[in-house]
Amino acid sequence: MNVLWRTLLTIWRAKVMLRRKGAVPPTSVGRIRVRTLPTDIDLLGHMNNGRYGSLFDLGRFDLLIRTGMWDLVEEKGWYAVVASETITFRKSLQLWQRFTIESRLHGHDEKSVYLLHRAVVGGEVYAEMLVRARFLRKGGGIVPLDELFEALHRPDDLPPLEPWIAQWAAASALPSTKSPAPSVWR
């Protein structure tokens, strides 16, 4: 339940920042401060590995709202979904430890945008997650990224993807929702 309250608070704060300071460029690094709570901890006494994704969602919401993308996708009847993600852990976050979630749009390919999220303590990266997300229409179908950038009235000024990210996206992809995907173990 605490992630729900954190989400609502993050959305409220981001909307206040957008009203007060205006939209930030899509290439900005978003930063929000959080603390590891008792409900984030696993039996080993540090942040549960599954909680990172939920907390990194807060960074994604903050960034989407403050860039103005949130209101645009709502207005257009679009929504964002995570297609794949991978996380690397470096150090453990302990109970009550304060840290910063840093989030940045990293680039895109023909269908997806890529974001990086980091858990940072004192300028040091503790964990990093790469996320591949798509924008879909509520009526069905993928929103082409040229349409997204046109609707934002912004040029596509995201940097090109590094080759390893394109390779990761291809290697981690599951079949299309229109293709069969039987669960067969070898």
Side-chain angles (χ1 to χ4, degrees), residues 140-155:
I142 295 173
V143 177
L145 292 183
D146 57 345
E147 185 178 343
L148 174 69
F149 289 119
E150 183 180 324
L152 284 168
H153 305 294
R154 294 198 173 134

Side-chain angles (χ1 to χ4, degrees), residues 34-55:
V34 292
R35 183 183 299 273
T36 308
L37 299 178
T39 51
D40 301 328
I41 300 300
D42 65 15
L43 294 174
L44 298 175
H46 58 247
M47 173 115 73
N48 181 287
N49 63 324
R51 184 63 86 185
Y52 284 84
S54 295
L55 294 178

Side-chain angles (χ1 to χ4, degrees), residues 151-181:
L152 284 168
H153 305 294
R154 294 198 173 134
D156 167 12
D157 59 354
L158 294 174
L161 288 179
E162 294 93 342
W164 74 267
I165 294 177
Q167 293 165 353
W168 165 79
S172 63
L174 290 172
S176 158
T177 56
K178 295 177 174 132
S179 300

Side-chain angles (χ1 to χ4, degrees), residues 2 27 54 57-58 62 80 86 104 106 112 118 137 152 155 164 169 182:
N2 73 340
T27 54
S54 295
D57 279 348
L58 302 178
D62 174 73
T86 187
R104 183 177 69 124
H106 192 66
S112 304
R118 294 178 177 163
R137 299 179 197 283
L152 284 168
W164 74 267

